[in-house]
């Protein structure tokens, strides 16, 4: 069966107009469908991304990086976020490749359809005009023929003898008019037949063929859009499938036995369980005696060990009270040496080193030499946990040392390049950075040796012992950096003080003074009973706060100077 609209549907102009209009409406409806689907995909991606972000930990916790079930859930959230990315990509492809293209094509299709049907209406109007002209000439010929026939009858009824010339002329005129009308009718008929043949065999097939081609292109475009939509989703399916496979792998990676073993590693204290409780014979002595192996004794023993956790912590004695009156010789009756300063755990200084710059590292070393106090230590942890903390910090220091070495190697290569090619840069500009890297490496090495000494000082029973060799080693190593400290600019004075009693500074970092001497205050008392003062640019040290009367500057009152 023929499928040519020009020959098969030559008389269905109105129905074709309605059909093509419905086809364009369908195209617009399909475009709207794809757009709404893209919006749904985008909304789904946003919700999935929001869900992943909601359950993702706000900040990293050590526990979540230790247990396999936490790691598996974190991996699942990451893969879910990747699924959201793929859904966003699908929505973007649907909008750019289908919705935008179909919207543009629909506008062009409406313009083309309007042109074709305008041509069809003009052809229809032309054939209708030709038909009207044919009908007009036909009616005129019919009228003229009737009038000529009527004139002929009238002429026949009149006697031939009495027939006038006027009647004869009138009859001839009617005959001539009828003949002319006949010729016009024949001409109009021939013209209409030609127009009709051209309309139904030339114009209509061409116009309808164009409309048919337009309709086929519209259907083909819908087919391409559906194919593109499926292809866009098929592209993301492999990635989504890989994400699902990764989620399955994450689930398979969960190891309950390993996680329970990690709980032991995290919470193991290292203490031995309490021994048997001995029988307490109240009938013999009527006095309760507590077994040395009892639970209370173990707790007491734990407290006794906890007082001696770090190698540099010594038993603190309260600072001597200031004398009420000086002796007759002008010498105070109080002890001449300052009270020992409670030393800060080495682990706190290691923390300061890892989170500070090069200048702050020197200041941490200086503060470590003179001691200090800080609540952020590990004395409250059981032996096993303290050992793990120290080991972690040692690993961090090793990483920092390796990083400093890599920077040093890179700077040496850069200096070598600058020396061979001066136009690329000045080799002298690298020296300050090299010196800084060298100092940082030395500082890290010092802290590494101190950390190792602290780890080795752990006794077999889980407590710490005094390691005087480690302290001496630290002092010998830290003395190497005294020159670096001396090169720093002196701290500004924040006020003055007057000595109330004489003081003989016999310990390292202290300054001797006589009664009534005026000194400059460099650093206020931080709560340890000592104030940092300066006699001149060469002499500086700590004196007991109770031995002096401080006069701070108005701008420096309440200020704390940190070294």
């Amino acid at each position: 069966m023929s499928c040519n609209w020009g020959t098969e549907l030559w008389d269905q102009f109105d129905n074709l107009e309605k059909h093509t209009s419905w086809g364009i409406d369908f195209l617009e409806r399909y475009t709207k469908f794809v757009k709404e689907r893209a919006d749904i995909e985008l909304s789904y991606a946003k919700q999935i991304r929001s869900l992943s972000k909601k359950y993702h930990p706000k900040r990293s916790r050590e526990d979540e990086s230790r247990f396999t079930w936490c790691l598996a859930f974190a991996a699942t959230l990451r893969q879910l976020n990747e699924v959201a990315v793929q859904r966003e990509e699908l929505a973007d492809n649907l909008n750019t490749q289908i919705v935008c293209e179909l919207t543009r094509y629909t506008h062009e299709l409406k313009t083309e359809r309007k042109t074709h049907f305008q041509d069809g209406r003009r052809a229809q109007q032309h054939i209708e005009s030709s038909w009207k002209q044919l009908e007009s000439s036909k009616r005129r010929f019919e009228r003229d023929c009737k009038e000529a026939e009527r004139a002929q009858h009238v002429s026949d009824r009149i006697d031939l003898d009495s027939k006038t010339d006027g009647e004869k002329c009138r009859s001839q005129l009617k005959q001539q008019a009828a003949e002319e009308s006949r010729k016009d009718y024949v001409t109009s008929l021939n013209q209409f037949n030609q127009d009709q043949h051209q309309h139904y065999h030339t114009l209509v097939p061409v116009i309808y063929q164009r409309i048919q081609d337009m309709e086929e292109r519209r259907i083909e475009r819908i087919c391409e859009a559906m194919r593109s939509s499926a292809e866009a989703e098929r592209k993301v399916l492999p990635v989504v499938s890989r994400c699902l496979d990764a989620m399955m792998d994450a689930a398979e990676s969960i190891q309950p036995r390993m996680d329970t073993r990690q709980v032991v590693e995290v919470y193991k204290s290292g203490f031995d369980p309490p021994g048997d409780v001995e029988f307490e014979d109240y009938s013999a002595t009527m006095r309760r005696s507590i077994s040395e192996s009892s639970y209370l004794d173990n707790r007491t023993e734990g407290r006794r060990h906890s007082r001696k956790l770090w190698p540099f912590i010594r038993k603190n004695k309260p600072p001597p009270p200031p004398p009420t009156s000086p002796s007759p010789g002008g010498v105070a009756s109080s002890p001449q040496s300052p009270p020992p300063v409670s030393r800060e755990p080495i682990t706190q200084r290691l923390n300061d080193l890892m989170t500070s710059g090069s200048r702050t590292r020197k200041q941490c070393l200086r503060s470590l030499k003179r001691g200090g106090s800080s609540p952020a230590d590990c004395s409250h942890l059981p032996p096993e946990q303290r050992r793990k903390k120290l080991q972690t910090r040692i690993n961090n220091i090793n990483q920092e040392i390796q990083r400093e070495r890599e920077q040093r190697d890179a700077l040496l290569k850069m200096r070598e390049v600058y020396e061979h090619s001066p136009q690329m840069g000045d080799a002298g500009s690298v020296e300050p950075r090299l010196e800084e890297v060298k100092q940082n490496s030395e500082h890290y090495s010092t802290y590494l040796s101190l950390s190792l000494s602290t780890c080795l000082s752990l006794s077999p029973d889980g407590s710490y012992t005094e390691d005087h060799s480690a302290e001496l080693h630290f002092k010998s190593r830290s003395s190497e950096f005294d020159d670096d400290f001396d090169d720093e600019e002196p701290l500004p004075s924040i006020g003055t003080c007057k000595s109330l009693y004489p003081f003989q500074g016999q310990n390292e970092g202290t300054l001797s003074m006589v009664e009534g001497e005026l000194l400059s205050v460099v650093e206020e008392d931080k709560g340890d009973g000592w104030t940092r003062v300066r006699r001149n640019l060469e002499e500086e040290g700590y004196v007991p706060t109770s031995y002096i009367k401080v006069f701070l500057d108005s701008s420096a009152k309440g200020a704390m100077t940190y070294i």
Side-chain angles (χ1 to χ4, degrees):
M1 183 178 67
S2 177
C3 61
N4 192 340
W5 285 10
T7 57
E8 302 295 333
L9 303 176
W10 59 270
D11 56 346
Q12 299 297 320
F13 182 84
D14 294 338
N15 288 332
L16 290 180
E17 187 175 12
K18 293 178 181 178
H19 177 78
T20 53
S21 177
W22 174 74
I24 293 179
D25 293 339
F26 177 85
L27 182 62
E28 291 179 338
R29 190 157 58 95
Y30 178 77
T31 304
K32 185 178 180 181
F33 159 76
V34 177
K35 185 177 185 305
E36 290 183 359
R37 183 189 173 186
D39 294 339
I40 292 174
E41 293 288 348
L42 187 60
S43 176
Y44 172 72
K46 289 182 179 179
Q47 292 178 5
I48 290 295
R49 187 186 297 276
S50 176
L51 181 66
S52 176
K53 183 178 180 181
K54 176 181 178 181
Y55 284 92
H56 198 276
K58 298 297 185 296
R59 51 184 176 272
S60 111
R61 296 177 53 187
E62 187 177 357
D63 292 343
E64 295 188 356
S65 62
R66 181 183 292 114
F67 298 107
T68 58
W69 43 275
C70 292
L71 296 176
F73 182 61
T76 301
L77 293 178
R78 289 193 297 271
Q79 297 303 324
L80 196 62
N81 189 71
E82 181 62 25
V83 171
V85 171
Q86 297 303 317
R87 291 297 173 182
E88 288 177 348
E89 183 177 354
L90 173 59
D92 183 68
N93 291 335
L94 291 177
N95 280 321
T96 57
Q97 298 180 6
I98 299 178
V99 175
C100 294
E101 290 296 325
L102 287 183
T103 302
R104 180 186 58 81
Y105 176 72
T106 301
H107 179 72
E108 296 177 355
L109 188 63
K110 288 181 178 180
T111 304
E112 182 182 1
R113 175 182 174 277
K114 182 178 179 181
T115 301
H116 293 331
F117 280 95
Q118 284 178 350
D119 294 341
R121 288 191 182 90
R122 281 195 296 266
Q124 191 71 23
Q125 291 173 0
H126 178 73
I127 193 64
E128 289 177 357
S129 176
S130 179
W131 171 257
K132 290 179 181 179
Q133 186 177 0
L134 175 61
E135 288 291 327
S136 177
S137 61
K138 178 181 178 181
R139 286 193 298 270
R140 187 171 58 253
F141 173 62
E142 182 181 6
R143 186 180 63 250
D144 291 343
C145 287
K146 289 180 178 180
E147 290 179 356
E149 184 178 1
R150 190 181 304 111
Q152 184 66 32
H153 288 315
V154 171
S155 177
D156 291 340
R157 283 196 303 268
I158 298 174
D159 185 58
L160 295 176
D161 295 334
S162 61
K163 192 175 183 180
T164 61
D165 295 336
E167 292 295 333
K168 292 180 180 180
C169 290
R170 188 179 299 108
S171 177
Q172 292 176 357
L173 289 174
K174 294 296 183 180
Q175 293 292 334
Q176 292 177 358
E179 186 64 25
E180 291 177 359
S181 298
R182 178 179 178 280
K183 292 179 180 180
D184 291 340
Y185 173 65
V186 171
T187 302
S188 299
L189 179 61
N190 292 333
Q191 183 65 38
F192 174 77
N193 289 332
Q194 292 177 3
D195 293 342
Q196 182 174 254
H197 185 274
Q198 184 179 10
H199 177 79
Y200 289 110
H201 293 83
T202 304
L203 294 179
V204 169
V206 171
I207 294 174
Y208 283 17
Q209 184 63 40
R210 293 174 182 174
I211 296 175
Q212 183 180 0
D213 295 340
M214 177 193 71
E215 182 69 8
E216 291 177 356
R217 289 196 306 271
R218 180 190 66 82
I219 299 173
E220 182 65 26
R221 183 58 64 93
I222 293 176
C223 174
E224 293 177 0
M226 292 182 178
R227 188 185 301 113
S228 300
S229 176
E231 186 66 25
E233 187 166 6
R234 178 180 293 177
K235 286 182 180 179
V236 303
L237 286 181
V239 182
V240 174
S241 178
R242 287 196 297 269
C243 293
L244 296 177
D245 292 340
M247 293 181 187
M248 292 293 296
D249 295 339
E252 295 296 333
S253 67
I254 298 178
Q255 301 180 16
R257 178 65 64 179
M258 180 182 295
D259 289 339
T260 55
R261 190 183 302 116
Q262 287 293 331
V263 175
V264 175
E265 294 294 330
V266 172
Y267 298 108
K268 181 181 179 181
S269 65
F271 293 114
D272 294 332
D276 296 337
V277 179
E278 296 180 358
F279 174 74
E280 300 177 2
D281 190 1
Y282 290 97
S283 62
T285 60
M286 301 301 294
R287 182 178 64 234
R288 182 176 178 227
S289 63
I290 304 176
S291 175
E292 293 181 354
S293 61
S294 66
Y295 176 70
L296 294 178
D297 279 349
N298 285 335
R299 293 181 58 185
T300 306
E301 185 67 20
R303 294 194 196 99
R304 186 159 54 248
H305 287 312
S306 65
R307 298 192 188 98
K308 195 171 61 171
L309 293 179
W310 297 97
F312 294 140
I313 295 181
R314 300 174 181 173
K315 295 181 180 179
N316 297 331
K317 296 180 180 179
T324 56
S325 61
S327 62
V331 179
S333 60
S334 63
Q336 298 300 312
S337 60
V341 182
S342 62
R343 294 191 176 271
E344 184 178 11
I346 186 66
T347 52
Q348 177 62 23
R349 294 303 173 187
L350 294 177
N351 283 337
D352 296 340
L353 177 70
M354 301 305 295
T355 58
S356 59
S358 61
R359 181 179 179 90
T360 311
R361 295 187 188 103
K362 297 180 182 179
Q363 296 169 351
C364 290
L365 283 175
R366 176 183 295 173
S367 179
L368 181 63
K369 286 166 54 180
R370 71 175 179 85
S373 60
S374 173
D377 55 22
C378 300
S379 59
H380 62 286
L381 297 176
E384 283 292 330
Q385 305 306 320
R386 290 199 296 272
R387 183 182 291 108
K388 292 175 183 177
K389 289 289 185 181
L390 282 174
Q391 186 61 44
T392 301
R393 288 168 181 171
I394 289 173
N395 296 336
N396 293 337
I397 294 175
N398 285 328
Q399 293 177 1
E400 293 293 336
I401 292 175
Q402 182 62 28
R403 190 177 296 110
E404 294 292 337
R405 289 176 179 174
E406 293 175 356
Q407 292 184 7
R408 180 197 61 188
D409 295 341
L411 290 171
L412 290 176
K413 292 180 180 180
M414 184 182 298
R415 185 178 65 179
E416 183 179 356
V417 172
Y418 287 169
E419 289 175 351
H420 287 81
S421 303
Q423 67 276 7
M424 297 184 64
D426 183 14
S429 61
V430 186
E431 293 298 333
R433 179 57 182 158
L434 273 174
E435 184 64 25
E436 182 181 355
V437 171
K438 179 181 178 182
Q439 294 177 3
N440 293 344
S441 300
E442 293 174 351
H443 297 159
Y444 284 129
S445 300
T446 301
Y447 276 97
L448 179 61
S449 62
L450 292 175
S451 301
L452 291 173
S453 300
T454 306
C455 284
L456 293 176
S457 65
L458 283 169
S459 62
D461 62 352
S463 63
Y464 285 98
T465 59
E466 295 285 351
D467 190 354
H468 299 285
S469 61
E471 182 177 5
L472 294 176
H473 176 68
F474 162 69
K475 290 183 177 180
S476 62
R477 291 296 303 271
S478 61
S479 62
E480 300 176 3
F481 306 104
D482 289 341
D483 295 338
D484 297 336
F485 298 149
D486 295 338
D487 293 340
E488 295 179 353
E489 297 181 0
L491 295 175
S493 175
I494 62 174
T496 58
C497 67
K498 181 180 180 180
S499 61
L500 302 178
Y501 316 102
F503 172 73
Q504 295 295 329
Q506 298 177 356
N507 293 346
E508 180 183 1
T510 59
L511 181 67
S512 301
M513 63 181 179
V514 297
E515 183 181 357
E517 185 177 3
L518 295 177
L519 301 172
S520 298
V521 178
V522 177
E523 182 181 344
E524 287 185 282
D525 186 355
K526 297 181 179 179
D528 55 2
W530 294 90
T531 301
R532 188 174 177 181
V533 299
R534 181 190 300 138
R535 178 176 288 112
N536 48 48
L537 295 179
E538 299 296 333
E539 298 182 59
E540 183 178 313
Y542 291 88
V543 296
T545 305
S546 59
Y547 281 46
I548 59 174
K549 184 176 182 180
V550 180
F551 305 93
L552 294 178
D553 296 338
S554 60
S555 61
K557 287 185 177 180
M560 295 294 292
T561 306
Y562 292 90
I563 63 170

